[in-house]
Amino acid sequence: MMAWIIRLVAVLFGLFGLAILLLFGPGSLDARYFNPVPPDPELEALFASPVEPVLTEEGLYGAEDLEPGPDGRLYTGLADGRIMARSAEGGWEEVAHTGGRPLGLAFSPDGVLHVADALAGLIRLDDGEWTVIDEPGAFPALVFTDDLTILEDGTIILTDASGRYGYGEYMESFWEGERTARILAYTPDGTRRVLADDLAFANGVAHDPQSGDVFINETWAAQVHVLDPVTGNLRILIDGLPGYPDNIHWDEEEQLLWIAMPSLRSELMEFFHPRPLLKRLMRRFADVFGEPELPARPVMGLAVNRLGEPVRVLYGPTREGELGATTVVPWQGQIWTGGLDRPTVDAFPVPPRLDETSAE
């Protein structure tokens, strides 16, 4: 009898040790508690009828951000480091090469192109040569230089999407549920300061010149904030988005904020986010049996007004093996889209306004 009890205790201790090894052993996930607001059913219902693009332009792999330039052309950065520009009449041409991976693009009030480059850092194009404003490195240096906008006084607002994971490691950040992103401000005198931190993968940033408001998103939290660039105070503009927001763009003509969402929300991951121990085990199983199936990734764009109310909805097709659109930008009477892992830039018809549709 005693021998049987000893064997039972040994088995229990072995199982306990195995569980500890799985949860906390080498290579285990540093899972964090994270509990984002669930998708709003009313917002989900807006994405019901996909439309096809009216124009698809090939040879533009990785057009992660699109930015209308002061010269009337549309600019983007590609996965191979090229900066491309398209005239209104058509045709793309290479205008520069960062030597890295350009993500966000913005023009300063004096017309100078600035780029948030994941590998080169925060840079600007001076007379055909790149000037480094801030370099990437180990935290507190830039870790994941992502997007930027430039205020009328020349202040650069930059998103550093994660303080733990760099370019190409966004899924690690998503699995972990970490909140180490920062919003940085660079004034023309060279001062750098942190406006906001402890954010869940702060990705896109834009601003409204009229009000002075700065808009930022938290990708994993599926929400967009209004940021006071002086105090750093944040307030939620919209949450419960049906997808994970990426780049955002302020449309001065219509006074709307366009939010690109390259992927629908993952019900599986968001079940595990508030359960860190289960998430650790889930990660171990994924290491052995493969990543769980990702949610659908159609083209999704939502335009909201200053109150966070939906005004226009872009819903395009899902392409097998590709991410959805990471940028959605109105230009030349159409809505232009590109993506981090898409081979094309596409143009869609401008969707009808929801308030006009409901009035009918």
Side-chain angles (χ1 to χ4, degrees):
M1 181 69 178
M2 182 60 67
W4 182 86
I5 294 175
I6 292 174
R7 284 195 293 270
L8 177 61
V9 170
V11 169
L12 291 176
F13 269 103
L15 291 175
F16 178 75
L18 178 61
I20 295 298
L21 183 64
L22 286 173
L23 289 171
F24 303 104
S28 62
L29 178 71
D30 187 10
R32 311 296 178 91
Y33 175 86
F34 183 47
N35 195 18
V37 174
D40 183 336
E42 293 186 6
L43 294 178
E44 288 183 308
L46 297 176
F47 296 86
S49 302
V51 298
E52 293 291 330
V54 295
L55 182 65
T56 294
E57 299 188 333
E58 306 281 349
L60 298 162
Y61 186 85
E64 199 268 349
D65 187 25
L66 294 166
E67 181 70 20
D71 58 359
R73 295 193 291 177
L74 184 65
Y75 286 76
T76 191
L78 303 183
D80 60 11
R82 288 180 293 161
I83 303 295
M84 308 293 289
R86 185 195 194 277
S87 68
E89 294 74 28
W92 292 85
E93 66 169 323
E94 179 179 342
V95 296
H97 197 298
T98 70
R101 182 30 169 134
L103 297 178
L105 283 68
F107 289 88
S108 56
D110 58 1
V112 175
L113 174 64
H114 291 63
V115 177
D117 189 291
L119 303 180
L122 175 59
I123 57 179
R124 71 169 182 260
L125 188 62
D126 295 313
D127 299 322
E129 299 292 332
W130 293 105
T131 297
V132 177
I133 300 173
D134 200 2
E135 292 182 317
F139 186 89
L142 298 177
V143 177
F144 197 144
T145 318
D146 202 324
D147 195 17
L148 76 164
T149 191
I150 305 178
L151 308 184
E152 278 52 50
D153 66 358
T155 297
I156 302 169
I157 309 295
L158 177 77
T159 63
D160 190 19
S162 172
R164 289 174 55 81
Y165 297 102
Y167 177 69
E169 300 176 322
Y170 63 91
M171 284 304 296
E172 286 82 351
S173 171
F174 181 43
W175 267 97
E176 188 174 295
E178 52 99 20
R179 303 171 67 95
T180 59
R182 300 172 294 170
I183 309 299
L184 304 172
Y186 299 79
T187 55
D189 64 5
T191 302
R192 178 184 114 159
R193 65 190 181 100
V194 177
L195 289 178
D197 56 10
D198 299 330
L199 301 171
F201 206 81
N203 194 325
V205 59
H207 81 282
D208 171 13
Q210 182 173 315
S211 68
D213 286 336
V214 173
F215 306 97
I216 66 161
N217 68 39
E218 287 189 90
T219 301
W220 307 147
Q223 58 188 203
V224 177
H225 300 270
V226 179
L227 169 71
D228 185 324
V230 176
T231 66
N233 290 334
L234 292 170
R235 63 176 174 83
I236 293 176
L237 177 70
I238 185 170
D239 63 3
L241 289 168
Y244 296 111
D246 202 287
N247 287 318
I248 54 181
H249 180 84
W250 180 256
D251 178 6
E252 289 190 56
E253 182 177 343
E254 284 206 302
Q255 299 290 290
L256 297 176
L257 182 71
W258 277 95
I259 305 166
M261 293 173 282
S263 171
L264 290 167
R265 304 272 292 272
S266 171
E267 294 183 15
L268 177 65
M269 286 302 302
E270 295 191 8
F271 170 81
F272 285 107
H273 273 324
R275 301 166 177 86
L277 290 181
L278 288 179
K279 188 162 57 168
R280 285 176 182 267
L281 288 175
M282 176 64 181
R283 178 69 258 184
R284 291 293 201 186
F285 280 110
D287 288 340
V288 175
F289 299 106
E291 295 280 349
E293 184 176 353
L294 294 173
R297 292 166 287 180
V299 172
M300 299 174 69
L302 179 66
V304 301
N305 59 23
R306 286 195 181 91
L307 300 177
E309 299 167 334
V311 177
R312 295 188 189 273
V313 175
L314 175 67
Y315 185 36
T318 302
R319 289 177 173 169
E320 186 67 28
E322 297 177 8
L323 285 175
T326 56
T327 182
V328 175
V329 174
W331 184 68
Q332 297 293 328
Q334 295 173 315
I335 305 299
W336 291 75
T337 69
L340 182 71
D341 286 321
R342 293 176 70 86
T344 63
V345 168
D346 303 301
F348 291 82
V350 177
R353 291 180 65 99
L354 298 176
D355 45 10
E356 294 174 355
T357 303
S358 60
E360 296 174 0

